[in-house]
Amino acid sequence: MIQQLIRQAAEWRLLGLLLECPDERWREHVRDLAAAVADPVLASAAAQALELASEGLYHSAFGPGGPAAPREVSYCDSVQFGYLLSELEAYYDAFAYHPATAEAADHISVEAGFVSFLLLKEAYAHAAEDPESAAVTAEARQTFLREHLAWVAEPLAGRLEDSAMEYLSLAGRSLLERVGPSRERRALPGSILPILPQEGEFRCGSDDPA
């Protein structure tokens, strides 16, 4: 049980990184995690990301006005933005999750990282022979997947599937396999803009051109 939870945590952390803006530190983390996961789709995505990923390519897909929105708010047609962020912050604070990133709380990479964090906390609770804490953490993870990531996974994977950047396509596919389609979200129209494998001039952590 514990080893399985740790393995799943590593996969979710790698998945979150693949959907994060790349830099040199990012490459080190992706390389280390790729060596630790057995999932062939994630391993392939990581290998391609290490070879091809760049800030410009990332922002051509996920940047302002890009065809693949990386934030949950973009897929919620009935939730107020402020309420969504407050709910996410409450989740993160409850479990002392403080990711070292400049991305917003509803960014897909932050949410995927939170799932990884909960899996590690659940593994720790089992190791400490604390079944009550393990159960609470597992329930919170399932609720978070259902009420947050399930709104994002299907439409985001659909947009990334058309990407010429294969590692993002694989990451989106892996995300959808883990989360599944939402039964509550109303279908939203896809972007008419293609995701092109070309360099942009945005830099990580900023919405302004470099």
Side-chain angles (χ1 to χ4, degrees):
M1 167 70 77
I2 294 175
Q3 289 303 316
Q4 181 182 10
L5 290 169
I6 292 174
R7 175 182 58 79
Q8 291 175 348
E11 292 175 352
W12 271 100
R13 179 61 182 132
L14 178 56
L15 179 56
L17 283 170
L18 292 172
L19 297 168
E20 185 177 301
C21 189
D23 55 25
E24 285 307 312
R25 186 183 179 202
W26 173 93
R27 292 182 183 281
E28 293 178 10
H29 291 167
V30 169
R31 188 176 295 110
D32 291 343
L33 281 168
V37 302
D39 184 290
V41 175
L42 281 177
S44 178
Q48 294 184 44
L50 288 170
E51 180 179 355
L52 301 173
S54 69
E55 293 182 20
L57 290 178
Y58 175 88
H59 285 294
S60 73
F62 293 128
R71 297 181 60 179
E72 182 184 346
V73 69
S74 300
Y75 305 99
C76 297
D77 53 357
S78 61
V79 178
Q80 293 292 327
F81 178 53
Y83 177 83
L84 171 63
L85 291 184
S86 294
E87 182 175 312
L88 289 170
E89 293 292 353
Y91 260 111
Y92 300 162
D93 289 344
F95 290 92
Y97 174 63
H98 305 296
T101 178
E103 301 294 358
D106 66 328
H107 194 281
I108 184 61
S109 64
V110 177
E111 294 190 355
F114 182 55
V115 175
S116 173
F117 184 78
L118 290 178
L119 284 161
L120 285 177
K121 288 188 75 74
E122 186 180 348
Y124 178 82
H126 282 294
E129 299 183 350
D130 185 355
E132 182 176 353
S133 293
V136 169
T137 306
E139 182 178 358
R141 172 168 52 86
Q142 292 301 325
T143 301
F144 187 81
L145 288 170
R146 183 177 64 251
E147 295 186 353
H148 291 283
L149 280 167
W151 290 73
V152 181
E154 186 176 15
L156 179 59
R159 292 300 303 144
L160 294 178
E161 189 65 33
D162 297 328
S163 173
M165 289 172 282
E166 182 67 13
Y167 90 88
L168 288 179
S169 176
L170 291 173
R173 193 181 311 163
S174 181
L175 176 67
L176 182 56
E177 287 176 356
R178 284 166 170 75
V179 177
S182 172
R183 297 182 179 180
E184 300 174 357
R185 180 185 54 80
R186 293 200 299 271
L188 296 177
S191 170
I192 61 173
L193 299 175
I195 299 176
L196 301 176
Q198 62 186 19
E199 295 284 347
E201 296 185 357
F202 291 107
R203 296 202 176 275
C204 297
S206 173
D207 291 338
D208 297 323

Coordinates of all heavy atoms in Angstrom, one line a residue, residues 136-180:
V136 N -8.8 10.3 6.0 CA -9.2 11.7 5.7 C -8.5 12.3 4.5 O -9.1 12.9 3.6 CB -8.9 12.6 6.9 CG1 -9.0 14.1 6.6 CG2 -9.8 12.2 8.1
T137 N -7.2 11.9 4.4 CA -6.4 12.4 3.2 C -6.9 11.8 2.0 O -7.0 12.5 0.9 CB -4.9 12.1 3.5 OG1 -4.5 12.7 4.7 CG2 -4.1 12.7 2.4
A138 N -7.2 10.5 2.0 CA -7.6 9.8 0.8 C -9.0 10.4 0.3 O -9.2 10.6 -0.9 CB -7.8 8.3 1.0
E139 N -9.9 10.6 1.3 CA -11.2 11.2 0.9 C -11.0 12.6 0.3 O -11.7 13.0 -0.7 CB -12.1 11.3 2.2 CG -13.4 11.8 1.9 CD -14.3 11.8 3.1 OE1 -13.9 11.4 4.2 OE2 -15.5 12.3 3.0
A140 N -10.1 13.4 0.9 CA -9.9 14.8 0.4 C -9.3 14.7 -1.0 O -9.7 15.5 -1.9 CB -8.9 15.5 1.3
R141 N -8.4 13.7 -1.3 CA -7.9 13.6 -2.6 C -9.0 13.2 -3.7 O -9.0 13.8 -4.7 CB -6.8 12.5 -2.6 CG -6.2 12.1 -4.0 CD -5.0 11.3 -3.9 NE -5.1 10.2 -3.0 CZ -5.6 9.0 -3.4 NH1 -6.0 8.8 -4.7 NH2 -5.7 8.0 -2.5
Q142 N -9.8 12.3 -3.3 CA -10.9 11.9 -4.2 C -11.8 13.0 -4.5 O -12.3 13.2 -5.6 CB -11.6 10.7 -3.7 CG -10.8 9.4 -3.7 CD -10.3 9.0 -5.0 OE1 -11.0 9.2 -6.0 NE2 -9.1 8.4 -5.1
T143 N -12.2 13.8 -3.5 CA -13.1 14.9 -3.6 C -12.4 16.0 -4.5 O -13.1 16.6 -5.3 CB -13.4 15.5 -2.2 OG1 -14.0 14.5 -1.4 CG2 -14.4 16.7 -2.4
F144 N -11.1 16.2 -4.3 CA -10.4 17.2 -5.0 C -10.4 16.8 -6.5 O -10.6 17.7 -7.4 CB -9.0 17.4 -4.5 CG -8.2 18.5 -5.1 CD1 -8.4 19.8 -4.7 CD2 -7.3 18.3 -6.2 CE1 -7.7 20.9 -5.3 CE2 -6.6 19.3 -6.7 CZ -6.8 20.6 -6.3
L145 N -10.1 15.6 -6.8 CA -10.1 15.1 -8.2 C -11.5 15.3 -8.8 O -11.6 15.8 -10.0 CB -9.8 13.6 -8.2 CG -8.3 13.3 -8.0 CD1 -8.1 11.8 -7.8 CD2 -7.4 13.8 -9.1
R146 N -12.5 15.0 -8.1 CA -13.9 15.1 -8.6 C -14.4 16.5 -8.8 O -15.0 16.9 -9.8 CB -14.9 14.3 -7.7 CG -16.3 14.3 -8.2 CD -17.2 13.5 -7.3 NE -17.3 14.1 -6.0 CZ -16.7 13.5 -4.9 NH1 -16.0 12.4 -5.0 NH2 -16.9 14.1 -3.7
E147 N -14.0 17.4 -7.9 CA -14.6 18.7 -7.9 C -13.7 19.8 -8.5 O -14.1 20.9 -8.8 CB -14.9 19.2 -6.4 CG -16.0 18.4 -5.7 CD -16.3 18.9 -4.4 OE1 -15.6 19.8 -3.9 OE2 -17.3 18.4 -3.8
H148 N -12.5 19.4 -8.8 CA -11.6 20.4 -9.5 C -10.9 19.8 -10.7 O -11.2 20.3 -11.8 CB -10.5 20.8 -8.5 CG -11.1 21.7 -7.4 ND1 -11.5 23.0 -7.6 CD2 -11.5 21.4 -6.1 CE1 -12.0 23.5 -6.5 NE2 -12.0 22.5 -5.6
L149 N -10.0 18.8 -10.6 CA -9.3 18.3 -11.8 C -10.2 17.7 -12.9 O -9.9 17.8 -14.0 CB -8.3 17.3 -11.4 CG -7.0 18.0 -10.9 CD1 -6.1 17.0 -10.2 CD2 -6.2 18.7 -12.0
A150 N -11.4 17.2 -12.4 CA -12.3 16.6 -13.4 C -12.9 17.6 -14.3 O -13.4 17.3 -15.4 CB -13.4 15.8 -12.7
W151 N -12.9 18.9 -13.9 CA -13.4 20.0 -14.8 C -12.4 20.3 -15.9 O -12.7 20.8 -16.9 CB -13.6 21.2 -14.0 CG -14.8 21.2 -13.1 CD1 -14.9 20.4 -11.9 CD2 -16.1 21.8 -13.2 NE1 -16.1 20.6 -11.3 CE2 -16.9 21.4 -12.1 CE3 -16.6 22.7 -14.2 CZ2 -18.2 21.9 -11.9 CZ3 -17.9 23.1 -14.0 CH2 -18.7 22.8 -12.9
V152 N -11.1 20.0 -15.6 CA -10.0 20.5 -16.5 C -9.5 19.4 -17.4 O -9.2 19.6 -18.6 CB -8.8 21.0 -15.6 CG1 -7.7 21.5 -16.5 CG2 -9.3 22.1 -14.7
A153 N -9.4 18.1 -16.9 CA -8.7 17.1 -17.6 C -9.2 16.8 -19.0 O -8.4 16.7 -19.9 CB -8.8 15.8 -16.7
E154 N -10.5 16.6 -19.2 CA -11.0 16.2 -20.5 C -10.8 17.3 -21.5 O -10.3 17.1 -22.6 CB -12.5 15.8 -20.4 CG -13.0 15.3 -21.7 CD -14.4 14.8 -21.5 OE1 -15.1 15.1 -20.5 OE2 -14.9 14.1 -22.4
P155 N -11.3 18.6 -21.3 CA -11.1 19.6 -22.3 C -9.6 19.9 -22.6 O -9.2 20.2 -23.7 CB -11.8 20.8 -21.8 CG -11.9 20.6 -20.3 CD -12.0 19.1 -20.2
L156 N -8.8 19.9 -21.5 CA -7.4 20.2 -21.7 C -6.7 19.1 -22.5 O -5.9 19.4 -23.4 CB -6.7 20.4 -20.4 CG -5.2 20.7 -20.4 CD1 -4.9 22.0 -21.2 CD2 -4.6 20.8 -19.0
A157 N -7.0 17.9 -22.2 CA -6.4 16.8 -22.9 C -6.8 16.8 -24.4 O -6.0 16.5 -25.3 CB -6.8 15.4 -22.3
G158 N -8.1 17.2 -24.7 CA -8.5 17.3 -26.0 C -7.7 18.4 -26.8 O -7.4 18.2 -28.0
R159 N -7.4 19.5 -26.2 CA -6.7 20.6 -26.9 C -5.2 20.1 -27.1 O -4.6 20.3 -28.1 CB -6.7 21.9 -26.0 CG -8.1 22.5 -26.0 CD -8.6 22.9 -27.4 NE -7.6 23.7 -28.1 CZ -7.4 23.7 -29.4 NH1 -8.0 22.7 -30.2 NH2 -6.6 24.5 -30.0
L160 N -4.6 19.5 -26.1 CA -3.3 19.0 -26.2 C -3.1 17.9 -27.1 O -2.0 17.7 -27.7 CB -2.7 18.7 -24.8 CG -2.6 19.8 -23.8 CD1 -2.1 19.3 -22.4 CD2 -1.7 20.9 -24.3
E161 N -4.1 17.1 -27.3 CA -4.1 16.0 -28.3 C -3.8 16.5 -29.7 O -3.1 15.7 -30.5 CB -5.4 15.2 -28.3 CG -5.3 13.9 -29.0 CD -4.4 12.9 -28.4 OE1 -4.3 12.9 -27.1 OE2 -3.8 12.1 -29.1
D162 N -4.2 17.7 -30.0 CA -3.9 18.2 -31.3 C -2.6 18.9 -31.4 O -2.2 19.5 -32.4 CB -5.0 19.2 -31.7 CG -6.4 18.6 -31.8 OD1 -6.4 17.4 -32.1 OD2 -7.4 19.3 -31.5
S163 N -1.8 18.9 -30.3 CA -0.6 19.6 -30.3 C 0.5 18.9 -31.1 O 0.6 17.7 -31.1 CB -0.1 19.8 -28.8 OG 1.2 20.3 -28.8
A164 N 1.3 19.7 -31.8 CA 2.5 19.1 -32.4 C 3.6 18.8 -31.4 O 4.6 18.2 -31.8 CB 3.0 20.1 -33.5
M165 N 3.4 19.3 -30.2 CA 4.4 19.0 -29.1 C 3.9 17.7 -28.5 O 3.0 17.7 -27.6 CB 4.5 20.1 -28.2 CG 5.2 21.3 -28.7 SD 5.1 22.8 -27.6 CE 3.4 23.3 -28.0
E166 N 4.5 16.6 -28.9 CA 4.1 15.3 -28.4 C 4.1 15.1 -26.9 O 3.2 14.4 -26.4 CB 4.9 14.2 -29.1 CG 4.5 12.7 -28.8 CD 3.2 12.4 -29.3 OE1 2.6 13.1 -30.2 OE2 2.6 11.3 -28.9
Y167 N 5.1 15.7 -26.2 CA 5.1 15.5 -24.8 C 3.9 16.1 -24.1 O 3.4 15.5 -23.1 CB 6.5 16.0 -24.2 CG 6.5 17.4 -23.8 CD1 6.1 17.8 -22.5 CD2 6.9 18.5 -24.7 CE1 6.2 19.1 -22.1 CE2 7.0 19.8 -24.2 CZ 6.6 20.1 -22.9 OH 6.7 21.4 -22.5
L168 N 3.4 17.2 -24.6 CA 2.2 17.8 -24.0 C 1.0 16.9 -24.3 O 0.1 16.8 -23.5 CB 2.0 19.2 -24.5 CG 3.0 20.3 -24.0 CD1 2.7 21.6 -24.6 CD2 2.9 20.3 -22.5
S169 N 0.9 16.4 -25.5 CA -0.2 15.5 -25.9 C -0.2 14.3 -24.9 O -1.2 13.9 -24.4 CB 0.0 15.0 -27.3 OG -1.0 14.1 -27.7
L170 N 1.0 13.7 -24.7 CA 1.1 12.5 -23.8 C 0.7 12.9 -22.4 O 0.1 12.1 -21.7 CB 2.5 11.9 -23.9 CG 2.9 11.3 -25.2 CD1 4.4 10.9 -25.1 CD2 2.0 10.1 -25.4
A171 N 1.1 14.1 -21.9 CA 0.8 14.5 -20.6 C -0.7 14.7 -20.4 O -1.3 14.3 -19.4 CB 1.6 15.8 -20.3
G172 N -1.3 15.3 -21.4 CA -2.8 15.5 -21.4 C -3.5 14.1 -21.3 O -4.5 14.0 -20.6
R173 N -3.0 13.2 -22.1 CA -3.6 11.9 -22.2 C -3.5 11.2 -20.8 O -4.4 10.5 -20.3 CB -3.0 11.1 -23.3 CG -3.7 9.8 -23.6 CD -2.9 9.0 -24.7 NE -2.5 9.9 -25.8 CZ -1.6 9.6 -26.7 NH1 -0.9 8.5 -26.6 NH2 -1.4 10.5 -27.7
S174 N -2.3 11.3 -20.2 CA -2.1 10.7 -18.9 C -2.9 11.3 -17.8 O -3.5 10.6 -17.0 CB -0.6 10.9 -18.6 OG -0.3 10.3 -17.3
L175 N -3.1 12.6 -17.9 CA -4.0 13.3 -16.9 C -5.4 12.8 -17.0 O -6.0 12.5 -16.0 CB -4.0 14.8 -17.2 CG -4.9 15.7 -16.4 CD1 -4.4 15.7 -14.9 CD2 -4.9 17.1 -16.9
L176 N -5.9 12.7 -18.2 CA -7.3 12.3 -18.4 C -7.5 10.8 -18.0 O -8.5 10.5 -17.4 CB -7.7 12.4 -19.9 CG -9.1 12.0 -20.2 CD1 -10.2 12.8 -19.4 CD2 -9.4 12.2 -21.7
E177 N -6.5 10.0 -18.2 CA -6.6 8.6 -17.7 C -6.7 8.5 -16.2 O -7.4 7.6 -15.7 CB -5.4 7.8 -18.2 CG -5.4 7.5 -19.7 CD -4.1 6.8 -20.2 OE1 -3.2 6.6 -19.3 OE2 -4.0 6.4 -21.4
R178 N -6.0 9.4 -15.5 CA -6.0 9.3 -14.1 C -7.3 10.0 -13.5 O -7.7 9.6 -12.4 CB -4.8 10.1 -13.5 CG -3.5 9.2 -13.7 CD -2.2 10.0 -13.4 NE -1.1 9.1 -13.3 CZ -0.5 8.5 -14.4 NH1 -1.0 8.7 -15.6 NH2 0.5 7.7 -14.2
V179 N -7.8 11.0 -14.2 CA -8.9 11.7 -13.6 C -10.3 11.2 -14.1 O -11.3 11.1 -13.4 CB -8.8 13.2 -13.9 CG1 -10.0 14.0 -13.4 CG2 -7.5 13.8 -13.3
G180 N -10.3 10.9 -15.5 CA -11.6 10.5 -16.1 C -12.4 11.8 -16.5 O -12.1 12.9 -16.0

